Amino acid sequence: MLLQTVRPNIVQSIRAFRVEDLLQTAQDTGQHFLYANLGNAQTKQEVLEGIAEAFLFPAHFGKNFDALYDCMTDLVHKAGPQPGFIVVLEQIPDNPRFDREAREQLLDVFRDAADYWADRKIPFRCFYSFL
């Protein structure tokens, strides 16, 4: 299996993995596949809007990091038993309007979500790349 050497609850660079292979693995294992290409985003607001649109968040999504965490955890948890998640955040911006601190805050949300799902024994793997 493609992810046998990847911990079940982790946020890491996509490096050696291809998006198509991760999608296939999600389908083969019955896990949710969440994909957002953020190549056109320049600001925190645009990054959050891009994720919300790609992940089909509800219209009332607050477009801040706390709301992102809530949507990735509590909202999904309340929807019933979950099989696991493979998340891909491709081309996260790397510019003065979305600087290193903003990128780390974004990835921290997904690290916290991975911890949340780990506590519930649900795999949550997030892969990312920078633009």
Side-chain angles (χ1 to χ4, degrees), residues 36-41 47 89-94 128-131:
N37 185 319
L38 303 170
N40 292 325
V47 166
L89 303 172
E90 221 175 13
Q91 298 184 357
I92 297 171
D94 181 7
Y128 65 87
S129 66
F130 294 132
L131 184 61

Side-chain angles (χ1 to χ4, degrees), residues 62-96:
K63 294 185 182 84
N64 60 58
F65 289 136
D66 289 337
L68 175 60
Y69 175 79
D70 290 344
C71 284
M72 294 303 301
T73 58
D74 193 47
L75 187 69
V76 178
H77 181 67
K78 288 178 180 173
Q82 299 300 323
F85 303 86
I86 296 176
V87 179
V88 177
L89 303 172
E90 221 175 13
Q91 298 184 357
I92 297 171
D94 181 7
N95 65 58

Side-chain angles (χ1 to χ4, degrees), residues 1-129:
M1 183 176 116
L2 178 69
L3 300 178
Q4 65 188 6
T5 60
V6 179
R7 286 189 358 232
N9 297 84
I10 192 166
V11 176
Q12 72 173 45
S13 172
I14 199 166
R15 289 188 206 134
F17 297 101
R18 294 178 337 126
V19 173
E20 299 80 18
D21 295 336
L22 293 169
L23 170 61
Q24 187 62 53
T25 297
Q27 291 172 340
D28 292 348
T29 59
Q31 296 185 35
H32 297 291
F33 181 76
L34 301 172
Y35 173 82
N37 185 319
L38 303 170
N40 292 325
Q42 295 293 313
T43 65
K44 175 182 171 182
Q45 189 73 14
E46 291 171 351
V47 166
L48 290 169
E49 287 172 1
I51 292 171
E53 184 178 312
F55 293 2
L56 304 175
F57 286 170
H60 66 270
F61 172 64
K63 294 185 182 84
N64 60 58
F65 289 136
D66 289 337
L68 175 60
Y69 175 79
D70 290 344
C71 284
M72 294 303 301
T73 58
D74 193 47
L75 187 69
V76 178
H77 181 67
K78 288 178 180 173
Q82 299 300 323
F85 303 86
I86 296 176
V87 179
V88 177
L89 303 172
E90 221 175 13
Q91 298 184 357
I92 297 171
D94 181 7
N95 65 58
R97 295 174 65 199
F98 198 78
D99 60 10
R100 186 176 196 278
E101 182 179 340
R103 290 191 306 277
E104 281 305 310
Q105 288 175 333
L106 174 67
L107 294 176
D108 281 346
V109 170
F110 285 91
R111 289 179 188 109
D112 291 345
D115 291 344
Y116 175 93
W117 290 110
D119 290 345
R120 287 149 184 83
K121 309 288 188 251
I122 306 292
F124 181 99
R125 293 177 178 98
C126 179
F127 300 91
Y128 65 87
S129 66

